[in-house]
Amino acid sequence: MLIGEVARRSGVSSRMLRHYDRLGLVVPSARTSGGYREYARADVERLLRVEALRTLGLSLGEIGALLDDERSSPAALVPRLIAQAEARIAHERQLLARLRGIEQAGSTDWEGALQIVSLLRGLGSEQPLDRQRAALDAGTGGTLGGAALAEAVLGEQEQNVAGTLRWALAAGDAAAALPPLAAALASAELEVRRRAVDALADLRGPGADATLRVALDDADPVVRGRAALALASRGDHAAEPVLVAMVVEGERDVDAAEALASLAAESGTEPSIRHLVVRLEGAGPEVRRRIAQALIELPGPAATAALERLAGDDEPGVAMTARAALRLLG
């Protein structure tokens, strides 16, 4: 069959058939004496397979690789196609929820409504730069804007865009952002919980503090640690047990020691030192060395006594660290 007949029977335009030929996706088996493309039955069958796979959302490159690999099976694509379809459905549901929020707001302010629509469109863009611009332009998006920014930051994978979204959240309506961020701390997805705690760390107010305290009990040490450091910067002693554990476990131990020192300086007591000294019992050499280093940040009689004890440690590295700390403390 010539190209015109194939186009009529298949519904694929002659222009697209030529494009497939140039790509090597559907190449006619022969040419007439006049140089016209001539398609065999097998060529048409391949064309129909191409069109069927296109309806599943595959790119032309993916289709070509699949058809040219004799070992491949279309059934192997099904899980990935299901995941893609579910992602599209989730995106549409999110958009629907936001549109309903605009509808329920019942605003007669056209300028404000258009700003929100523009924000939602920008945050939903596939281009990172567009999402970042939307966050920069967010300004005061009101309650709906704060919730939309929170939802966007929870799903953002680009670090630069995520940073801009967190900045916009902190500058906008923090109260509106708290419910979706708090709900995200219960997510089964680790990265979602980490993004939530990062966003909460930039927010201020009793609501943000209370939500961060929930994160102190998270199963992930990174989530716990980020929450503890944020709370310690606000003088919240609820972070202290997690900070001590960070020193012991070597998870951002230097930052944790500095945070403990800040808490001890503000309270005028030495609770952090007592917690660290208790953890010395039965601890290995690396843990004892980290505790000695942390005690440098916690001057006072209790810290000095603990360092003097560690200066006689059986492990040379621990003893050396403790003696150096004592010299620094004078």
Side-chain angles (χ1 to χ4, degrees), residues 252-312:
R252 295 185 66 178
D253 50 303
V254 174
D255 293 335
E258 292 177 351
L260 285 170
S262 175
L263 288 173
E266 289 180 6
S267 63
T269 62
E270 297 179 326
S272 305
I273 299 171
R274 290 197 299 272
H275 288 308
L276 284 170
V277 172
V278 166
R279 300 297 289 268
L280 284 171
E281 299 300 328
E286 281 302 309
V287 174
R288 300 200 301 276
R289 182 182 60 78
R290 285 197 293 271
I291 291 176
Q293 290 174 327
L295 288 170
I296 299 175
E297 304 287 342
L298 297 161
T304 301
L307 286 169
E308 288 173 346
R309 171 185 168 187
L310 289 169

Side-chain angles (χ1 to χ4, degrees), residues 177-265:
L178 283 176
L181 294 178
L185 290 178
S187 172
E189 296 183 38
L190 175 58
E191 286 305 314
V192 171
R193 302 202 307 277
R194 288 182 176 179
R195 291 173 192 142
V197 79
D198 282 345
L200 287 163
D202 290 336
L203 301 183
R204 288 291 184 267
D209 292 356
T211 308
L212 280 169
R213 289 189 204 106
V214 173
L216 292 174
D217 296 323
D218 195 274
D220 178 52
V222 174
V223 173
R224 294 197 304 270
R226 291 175 182 174
L229 290 171
L231 287 168
S233 70
R234 303 168 194 185
D236 193 330
H237 283 268
E240 195 166 284
V242 175
L243 294 172
V244 170
M246 291 169 69
V247 171
V248 172
E249 296 163 10
E251 180 72 36
R252 295 185 66 178
D253 50 303
V254 174
D255 293 335
E258 292 177 351
L260 285 170
S262 175
L263 288 173

